[in-house]
Amino acid sequence: MRRSDRLFSLLSLLGDHQLHRAEDMAQAAGVSLRTLYRDIARLQASGVAITGTRGAGYRLTPATVLPPLSLSPEEIEALQLALAVVLETTDPDLQAAATSLAQKIDAALPETAQPATQDWQRIEHPFANAARGLGHLPVLRAAIRARQKLRIVYNADDGSLDTLVLHPHKLNHAARSWTLSGWDETKGQNTTLRLDLIEATHPLPELFTAPPAFQMD
């Protein structure tokens, strides 16, 4: 029997999600125990959620185990964005699943993949309405790439609306917390804005270059 056929037969056997002895599976497949253990290891390495140990038996669990993945910063950002949108659903089961998935992703990310700024840790988390500001992302991303100034209308701490001219530098995110870092030309200082508190973004016909004193924290 070809190995591919043998692996498929093992999956069919384990498809009842019951515990199976390795000796019985090896006999059914017509292979040695050593070959059976190698086949189980191959299936597990490919992401099949088989649990158990030699001597105790094996079973197929309903969970799906993904093999190690290499994600680019843009792919991580897209994944976090998708989670933020799903987390705004009114379906409690979807909310619970998305929250659990976000926690697993955050736990798996290396420290170097986290935002350089720690401002998000001081933000109410999760945001009351994380998806509210995500509609601004296309404009913000385009402005960052083009180094284009933005006029931003922002909800201030006192509940009023502030208008500022921003040199957008970087979008940061940690799970549902999205912030925009840049240089506030109006006040002449670095600033970090919560996306969910941005009311409006207006691209300006001016480009910017970082002045000598410009340095993001």
Side-chain angles (χ1 to χ4, degrees):
M1 182 186 297
R2 294 177 304 179
R3 185 173 67 186
S4 59
D5 294 334
R6 192 171 68 245
L7 295 178
F8 181 80
S9 67
L10 282 176
L11 281 177
S12 299
L13 179 64
L14 293 167
D16 60 3
H17 303 292
Q18 301 300 312
L19 187 67
H20 291 269
R21 295 173 63 246
E23 292 83 355
D24 295 336
M25 288 191 292
Q27 184 177 359
V31 296
S32 66
L33 270 176
R34 183 175 181 179
T35 299
L36 185 280
Y37 292 142
R38 285 202 300 263
D39 287 346
I40 291 293
R42 288 190 182 98
L43 289 172
Q44 291 172 325
S46 68
V48 179
I50 298 176
T51 61
T53 57
R54 300 184 183 186
Y58 298 92
R59 74 169 72 240
L60 182 66
T61 68
T64 299
V65 177
L66 296 176
L69 298 174
S70 296
L71 300 179
S72 68
E74 292 77 14
E75 289 171 334
I76 293 174
E77 181 176 324
L79 183 58
Q80 298 283 22
L81 171 58
L83 283 173
V85 173
V86 174
L87 282 163
E88 296 308 317
T89 181
T90 57
D91 187 316
D93 292 335
L94 276 178
Q95 284 185 337
T99 299
S100 175
L101 179 56
Q103 292 171 345
K104 291 179 181 179
I105 292 172
D106 288 345
L109 285 176
E111 290 185 4
T112 53
Q114 299 299 323
T117 176
Q118 297 300 308
D119 289 342
W120 62 269
Q121 292 181 345
R122 296 188 288 275
I123 297 173
E124 181 183 355
H125 183 78
F127 286 165
N129 187 357
R132 183 174 181 271
L134 299 183
H136 301 299
L137 275 178
V139 174
L140 300 179
R141 289 169 61 86
I144 291 171
R145 288 194 296 267
R147 303 186 72 83
Q148 185 176 18
K149 295 182 182 182
L150 294 172
R151 178 178 290 109
I152 292 180
V153 180
Y154 191 72
N155 283 287
D157 293 337
D158 59 5
S160 63
L161 293 179
D162 283 345
T163 300
L164 63 143
V165 174
L166 185 78
H167 302 187
H169 179 265
K170 183 180 180 182
L171 283 164
N172 303 308
H173 62 81
R176 301 177 68 191
S177 303
W178 284 77
T179 59
L180 171 66
S181 300
W183 176 261
D184 183 348
E185 183 180 294
T186 307
K187 296 181 179 179
Q189 62 185 26
N190 292 330
T191 188
T192 299
L193 307 178
R194 284 173 48 176
L195 259 63
D196 64 320
L197 295 183
I198 294 177
E199 288 292 328
T201 55
H202 305 285
L204 298 176
E206 301 176 56
L207 302 181
F208 66 88
T209 55
F214 181 81
Q215 180 178 356
M216 296 307 303
D217 297 329

